[in-house]
Amino acid sequence: MADDKTKTGLDRKLISLEEQHEVRSWAESLGVTQAQLREAVKAVGHSADAVREYLARGKR
């Protein structure tokens, strides 16, 4: 993922846990804690779509 914080639109298909600002941004945008985000990525991988589906299943 790019380290340039102004180019977030380019990175919206994959979730990187390497950069704290990205973890914070993803957690906020998905409405979960950072721990929940990390758990979801661990379970289904870095695909933003897969993480969204995983989180949606857990909120039912």
Side-chain angles (χ1 to χ4, degrees):
M1 297 240 159
D3 289 336
D4 186 346
K5 296 174 189 148
T6 64
K7 296 184 179 180
T8 57
L10 299 175
D11 298 333
R12 299 316 284 176
K13 291 185 179 184
L14 295 175
I15 297 174
S16 171
L17 300 178
E18 300 299 315
E19 299 290 333
Q20 184 57 34
H21 69 272
E22 289 194 34
V23 173
R24 217 175 14 254
S25 175
W26 275 109
E28 183 178 312
S29 71
L30 294 171
V32 297
T33 66
Q34 292 181 26
Q36 289 169 316
L37 176 65
R38 290 180 189 281
E39 177 185 321
V41 170
K42 183 177 180 181
V44 298
H46 292 274
S47 165
D49 289 338
V51 168
R52 282 186 189 98
E53 289 176 23
Y54 176 85
L55 293 170
R57 285 193 311 263
K59 291 182 179 180
R60 286 185 189 166

